Amino acid sequence: MNALRVTGGRVLRPDGSVTESNVTVDRDAGTIVSVDDGDGTPPNGAETLDASGSLVIPGLVNAHTHVAMTLLRGYADDKPLDPWLREDIWPAEAELTPDDVEAGAELGAVEMIRSGTTAFADMYFAMDRVAHAVDRAGLRARLGHGVVTVGKDDADARADVEESLAVARELDGAADGRIRTAFMPHSLTTVGEEFLREGFAEARDAGIPVHLHANETEDEVDPIVDGRGERPIAYADGLGALGPDDFFAHGVHVDESEIDRLADAGTAVVHCPASNMKLASGMAPVQRLREAGVTVALGTDGAASNNDLDLFDEMRDAAMLGKLAADDASAVPAAAVVEMATRGGADALNLPGGRIEEGAAADLAVVDLDAPHLTPVHDPVSHLAYAARGSDVRHTVCDGEILMRDREVLTLDADAVQERAAAAASELVDRVESA
C-alpha cells in the first residue's frame, strides 16, 4: 500500500471527541485506512506527516463561493447588495477574460489550501478554466456556470441556461473524479421563470443537482411575494428546484414555512455570515434551521464581499451572528459551527470528506496549536471556532495527497500564482475604467 501516516497529534473524531491518535491513509485509494492510538505497526515505506502539538481535523468545505472574485478583493466595499452588484461587480465581471478567471481561481486555491479547505462549491464563468485550476491544485469542487437572464433577449438567456447545463454534463467527474457539477442559476429573481422551469426540468432529467442564491436579501423576497403571492422557497419548490441533492446559498430571510419546506425536501442551506454582515443582508436563522433538521453548511461567498476565503473566520462569524440572531448565547455553539464547516459542507455538496474515520475520504487539515492565541488548550473544539486562524494550518491533505506541508504549498507555485493574479487584477481594473 502507498501509505501516508499522520502521526503524533490529536484527532477530531466524528462524534466531536478528540483523541490522541495516528491516521493512516491509502494514498492510491484516497481513503483513511485506520485511526489508531499508535500501537499499530505502520505500513512499510509509509510517508510520515508530523502532527505533534497539533489537531488533525477533516478538511474544511467552503460550500458557496465565486473563487475567481479574488481578483476583485477590495475593489468595491461598503454598499448594499443590489447597487454593489449593478454598479460595481457586474460591470467589472463583463471585462473578465478566461485567463483572468483562471488566475483568480488559482489564487483562491492557494488561499484555501493554506487555510485548510479541501473542497468548495463555485458558481462563476469560464468553468473549464476553474476546473483546470482545481485539477492542478489537487482540491475537490462542485462547479457550475452561473446563469443570469435579466437584461438578455430570449436567445441569449436560453443560451446561458444551456451553457450551465452543458458545463454540468461535460465537467462532471473531471480531475480524476474530484470535480462534480451542478446547474447553477444565479437566483430566483435574476433568472426568468420560464428559463428556471426549463433548466430545472432538464437538470432533473439528467440527474444534475441545483445550486442557487435564495432569500439573501429582502429585495430578493419582496418581488416574489408581491408578484406571486407566495414565498421564494415555495416558488422554487413549484419550479422543481427543491430536492435532497440541492443546496441554496444564504437563506437569510426565510420564514417558518420555508424552513419546514427545506427540511421536508432535504435541501441544504449554505450560511455565509461574513458576506451577509458586510452587505447588511441580515442574520440567517441558523439555530432554527438546524433545529428543524436542515443541513447547514458554511461558505465564504466571493472574496469581493468577504474579503477572504478563510473558513476559520467564517466559523467564528457564524457562531457570533447565530447567537445574536437567536438572542441566545447558547445558540450555534462551537461544535455546531465546526460540524457545519466539515461534515455539513460535505453533505450539502454531496462530496466525500467531512469525517475522520476508517473508509472516509482522506481530506485532512492539521492545525498547529502551539501559538500564544491558542494557549492554553482547555477545549480544542472551542479553539477551532473562536480562536484559530487559517494561518494556523500546518498541513493540508486532499484525496490522500499532501497539498501543503509545513505551510509550503506543493501543488501550485504560490509566488507565481500571486504575481499572475495581481497583474490580471490591475489590467482588469484598467479595462473597466476605460470602458
Side-chain angles (χ1 to χ4, degrees):
M1 180 175 64
N2 178 14
L4 173 68
R5 183 92 162 154
V6 185
T7 63
R10 287 184 279 179
V11 176
L12 178 63
R13 309 303 293 272
D15 63 0
S17 65
V18 174
T19 60
E20 294 186 2
S21 305
N22 299 320
V23 181
T24 301
V25 168
D26 181 341
R27 301 180 71 174
D28 293 329
T31 57
I32 296 170
V33 175
S34 65
V35 183
D36 61 69
D37 60 8
D39 291 336
T41 302
N44 289 333
E47 184 175 0
T48 298
L49 202 58
D50 181 21
S52 300
S54 303
L55 180 66
V56 185
I57 66 172
L60 303 180
V61 180
N62 188 346
H64 176 73
T65 190
H66 314 283
V67 69
M69 291 184 82
T70 50
L71 297 190
L72 297 173
R73 191 193 324 260
Y75 174 71
D77 297 318
D78 308 323
K79 283 186 174 182
L81 177 63
D82 190 63
W84 176 78
L85 284 172
R86 295 179 185 276
E87 297 169 10
D88 301 299
I89 299 304
W90 286 348
E93 288 179 332
E95 298 295 327
L96 283 170
T97 69
D99 285 347
D100 292 334
V101 171
E102 185 168 348
E106 287 185 344
L107 180 63
V110 168
E111 184 177 353
M112 287 189 285
I113 290 169
R114 281 186 165 163
S115 52
T117 291
T118 55
F120 67 101
D122 195 55
M123 175 195 290
Y124 216 55
F125 324 114
M127 296 311 294
D128 58 329
R129 306 296 285 272
V130 177
H132 184 232
V134 171
D135 189 11
R136 293 179 59 230
L139 294 165
R140 294 189 197 278
R142 188 168 288 277
L143 305 180
H145 169 81
V147 178
V148 176
T149 67
V150 292
K152 298 177 181 175
D153 61 28
D154 282 1
D156 287 343
R158 189 157 278 109
D160 207 12
V161 171
E162 288 304 318
E163 182 173 357
S164 187
L165 291 164
V167 164
R169 293 188 186 97
E170 293 165 8
L171 291 182
D172 196 48
D176 297 323
R178 297 194 314 278
I179 290 176
R180 304 303 309 273
T181 58
F183 173 54
M184 296 192 182
H186 178 266
S187 76
L188 299 170
T189 55
T190 55
V191 180
E193 179 179 348
E194 67 174 301
F195 305 113
L196 288 171
R197 194 177 298 278
E198 292 171 8
F200 292 147
E202 194 167 340
R204 291 294 175 244
D205 288 345
I208 299 169
V210 169
H211 177 49
L212 52 81
H213 300 80
N215 299 55
E216 182 176 358
T217 67
E218 291 178 340
D219 288 340
E220 286 186 349
V221 174
D222 292 344
I224 296 173
V225 173
D226 294 342
R228 307 187 59 86
E230 62 181 344
R231 300 282 302 180
I233 301 304
Y235 172 49
D237 197 7
L239 295 173
L242 258 65
D245 295 328
D246 305 326
F247 57 110
F248 290 0
H250 299 293
V252 175
H253 298 279
V254 288
D255 69 8
E256 290 296 323
S257 69
E258 292 178 295
I259 292 172
D260 291 341
R261 193 181 290 264
L262 288 163
D264 291 344
T267 301
V269 170
V270 184
H271 180 40
C272 303
S275 177
N276 294 160
M277 287 190 288
K278 187 179 181 217
L279 296 170
S281 299
M283 298 185 288
V286 172
Q287 184 69 16
R288 176 69 189 97
L289 285 162
R290 287 176 53 84
E291 289 172 349
V294 177
T295 295
V296 181
L298 284 183
T300 59
D301 212 344
S305 65
N306 186 296
N307 290 12
D308 61 45
L309 303 178
D310 186 344
L311 272 177
F312 285 93
D313 286 352
E314 223 63 37
M315 282 193 275
R316 180 181 173 91
D317 288 344
M320 302 296 193
L321 193 61
K323 297 174 194 311
L324 285 176
D327 193 24
D328 179 0
S330 68
V332 196
V337 294
V338 172
E339 181 186 26
M340 288 157 59
T342 54
R343 182 169 58 192
D347 290 349
L349 272 52
N350 197 18
L351 290 177
R355 301 158 178 82
I356 299 180
E357 60 186 359
E358 183 178 338
D363 296 2
L364 310 168
V366 180
V367 182
D368 188 354
L369 299 177
D370 185 17
H373 64 279
L374 297 174
T375 303
V377 185
H378 296 301
D379 180 353
V381 174
S382 170
H383 275 5
L384 290 176
Y386 297 121
R389 307 164 184 163
S391 56
D392 295 316
V393 175
R394 182 176 171 189
H395 315 301
T396 303
V397 176
C398 182
D399 199 36
E401 294 303 315
I402 303 171
L403 309 188
M404 180 175 73
R405 181 196 289 270
D406 289 322
R407 297 293 299 163
E408 180 185 358
V409 176
L410 304 179
T411 52
L412 295 170
D413 182 337
D415 291 340
V417 165
Q418 189 170 331
E419 182 178 349
R420 178 188 179 194
S426 178
E427 292 167 7
L428 171 63
V429 171
D430 288 344
R431 292 198 301 274
V432 174
E433 291 178 348
S434 61

